Amino acid sequence: MKFRDGMWLTAEGMRVEYAEDVHDITQTEKGLSLLCPTRKIQRRGDTLNLSTLTIDIEAAYDGIISVETTHWDGAVRKGPHFDLFPGGQPNAEPKVVKSEKGTTLSSGSIAATIHPDEHTFDIKFHSADGSRYLTSLLGRSVGLAYSPAPSNPLQTGDMRDFKHYIFTQTGLSVGESVHGLGERFGAFNKVGQSVALWNADGGTSSDQAYKNVSFWLSSKGYGVFIDTPGRVELEIGSERCTRVQTSVEGQRLKWYIIYGPTPKDVLRRYSVLTGKPGKVPSWSFGLWLSTSFTTNYDEATVNSFLEGMKERDTQVDVFHYDCFWMKAFKWTDFVFDSDRFPDPKAQIARLKASGLVKKVCVWINPYIAQHGAAFKHATEKGYLLKRKNGDIWQWDLWQAGMGLVDFTNPEAVEWYVECLNGLFDKGVDCIKTDFGERVPTLDVQWFDKSVDPHKMHNYYAFLYNKVVYEALQKRYGDEEAVLFARSACAGTQRFPLVWGGDCESTPEAMAESVRGGLGLGLCGYSFWSNDIGGFEGYPAPWIYKRWVAFGLLCSHSRLHGSGSYRVPWTIDNDDKSEEGCSRTLSRWTALKARLMPYLFSQAAKAVNSGLPLSLRAMCVEFPEDPTSWYLDRQFMIGDSLLAAPVFEESGEVEFYLPRGKWTSFFTNEVREGPGWFKEEHGFGSLPLFVRENTVLVLGNPEARSAVYDYAQDVEVCLYQIREGASADLVDSNGEPLGSILVGSNGELQGKDLLKGIWTKGNNGRKVDELFFKTIKSL
């Protein structure tokens, strides 16, 4: 939303009024309240016939200050509201000091200072010790706007024909970059972009996003969380080049500024504010195989897939039944198609007993098709969203005559959970919660009449995933619940995990997916996946194999397509060579299994700190390196592994190594950064480097599943270590076992934790000589 036409003019059809003065500062229990007229008050008469804006600046938590701008305070505060501080709000200790520098409110490590000069609108945000400037609200940076512009103030007595907006503009420093705002597939640095936070089913190749998260991270050591689930419009250096403008329709706009100084500090505090990611079980890290979307399948098809994978030395830990486990025109009625699956409970039991798969997932959504029995029942009971005239809200987009589950109705929630429990009774272990983006805002009446339909649009994703996640927790335990969700908003990181939506089967789409995963990770999501090989279309064998390498280095890995299968032998006519799809998938699945001692211990750290496990943007680990804020084709896996996917058929790839010594995982060759490097890779490798001073514990080389004994028959690999380097060990249930520590003489401490026949490599791991032939430096 742009309110101006260049620097000098107001946008056509708009009336804009700015806070021009800080007329009065009142100290409150939590901070400061500023009375800000929209003209400079030079005499008493200036106080008449004008609008004012109230800016409440409050201490929320150590390192966090909230800023709320209000025009008309009598406006009803309709919900839904984000569930903030879900773990309990820590004590905030506001401190107000007046000096020649102005009036300063401190909240632990962050402070806001209001300029002391009369008729000067200037609010600076900085570290409490004064060592670090963050951003400012300067002149003409806070305001209200009408559209269309009223020609007479009397017209605002009836607001039905007007839209009213509140906006703020925080300053952008020279060289500052902005990141996050959910799973966005465009440029990683958002400066120069107009961004609308509005969930949409738009694929991965547009400016729409399935997961709009109202949080952004600055390269200057702070983040901003916008506290509304409604539509938010941002102009990030795109209306005024030196400012980030945030606007909402309504009478209030509230946001929190979160100080670091590092990205890890910002994300840790953000996770306290909006919720820490949930933990996920070890089995979920294994390979997931899907039937794909519109493919034709039955029990025999499923068995042939899993038996074919086993024959090709690839273990599937989770098998996923997509849409057509139910009959056409009846999604979602929670009833297996009896023609294809006459006894689903027995079939699922047979699958698990065979050892072909550990867990089973099924696809659902909150859209209830008219022709299924569920629709009739939900309609009679009042469980579906209604129009204002009492009709069930319906349309024919996606499913014929579909309705939408009204999760603001507690009885509808109970019914939906009963349906889920019916699936759990059949042996279903986890749920793919698809869709939830196309939520209507016009001519609808929610069961909870206190909610604003526009705010429900994005927030619906939170309610939907919360209901399913908590049902899984109740059945299987708090740390065994797993979703595979597509839609999200702020706070949904509490209900892992998510995947990246409908991408094409192209290298460009794989790069889009990388950018999406990086951006979402900077919004507090620890776990993320994508459709290996691409969803739409038919991947060429080389794309499939490059995507396999990338996908198996994400926290979670799933083979899934649209109208075609993603089992490897269908991609390349069952090429059985070492460079074929089947062997490539087998090698990368085995590698991820070997990495599980590292991945699962790193996952615990990520959850505790609100960090992405993988994809972790380079700037999280190397914020002092300016280049790290622009790297969108590589990522960290936890603290110590760096990966750069290959996007070229030739195998050529260019990547950046930050300062320090980096060891190739595949060859033990040591490179020193900072610098750019080029390599050429076969399908069995990509640039995967281990950070110096790393103790990397690799699991049993015979492991193929993600679940095994992570302390048995391991390889302890030392990479440019110094005294005190360590690695935490956990078991496959996530229980801490202890730490492996490098002592003063280079000897390992904590060896008693290791079982069986274990080995130690002082200069990296035992490598396959083949990689010296298939990896070339360019």
Side-chain angles (χ1 to χ4, degrees), residues 274-293:
T274 62
K276 293 184 180 295
K279 295 182 179 180
V280 291
S282 56
W283 54 261
S284 71
F285 287 80
L287 181 64
W288 295 49
L289 175 62
S290 165
T291 59
S292 294
F293 171 40

Side-chain angles (χ1 to χ4, degrees), residues 420-615:
L420 294 172
N421 282 327
L423 297 177
F424 304 155
D425 291 341
K426 293 178 175 63
V428 172
D429 305 281
C430 46
I431 300 290
K432 175 181 172 180
T433 49
D434 204 355
F435 292 90
E437 303 93 359
R438 290 173 176 165
V439 178
T441 61
L442 303 176
D443 188 31
V444 293
Q445 179 64 65
W446 293 88
F447 177 85
D448 182 352
K449 295 180 173 56
S450 70
V451 302
D452 179 345
H454 286 82
K455 291 183 178 179
M456 278 297 297
H457 177 86
N458 286 348
Y459 195 73
Y460 190 86
F462 182 89
L463 293 179
Y464 168 36
N465 287 296
K466 181 175 186 285
V467 167
V468 180
Y469 188 75
E470 290 181 349
L472 284 161
Q473 285 184 310
K474 187 173 182 179
R475 173 59 69 98
Y476 296 118
D478 285 351
E479 297 180 8
E480 285 290 314
V482 179
L483 302 181
F484 224 85
R486 190 174 76 172
S487 60
C489 64
T492 317
Q493 70 271 10
R494 293 160 50 187
F495 319 124
L497 59 106
V498 295
W499 101 97
D502 299 348
C503 48
E504 297 176 321
S505 298
T506 65
E508 292 80 10
M510 184 164 69
E512 291 166 1
S513 295
V514 173
R515 295 194 295 270
L518 291 172
L520 192 67
L522 293 179
C523 296
Y525 287 73
S526 290
F527 307 111
W528 180 85
S529 184
N530 63 99
D531 292 342
I532 294 175
F535 175 74
E536 297 285 359
Y538 301 85
W542 78 266
I543 293 173
Y544 180 90
K545 289 182 282 189
R546 296 302 183 192
W547 211 315
V548 160
F550 159 51
L552 268 296
L553 292 177
C554 298
S555 75
H556 290 76
S557 310
R558 181 182 71 158
L559 293 164
H560 181 67
S562 179
S564 58
Y565 302 125
R566 288 294 178 265
V567 288
W569 56 90
T570 66
I571 305 297
D572 62 359
N573 296 316
D574 201 13
D575 180 352
K576 293 183 171 60
S577 72
E578 286 298 310
E579 292 288 284
C581 291
S582 294
R583 284 295 300 138
T584 298
L585 178 62
S586 174
R587 286 198 300 271
W588 284 101
T589 305
L591 174 57
K592 187 170 188 181
R594 283 209 76 192
L595 287 172
M596 277 305 296
Y598 171 77
L599 291 173
F600 210 38
S601 65
Q602 287 285 314
K605 293 181 179 179
V607 163
N608 288 336
S609 299
L611 298 175
L613 171 60
S614 174
L615 286 51

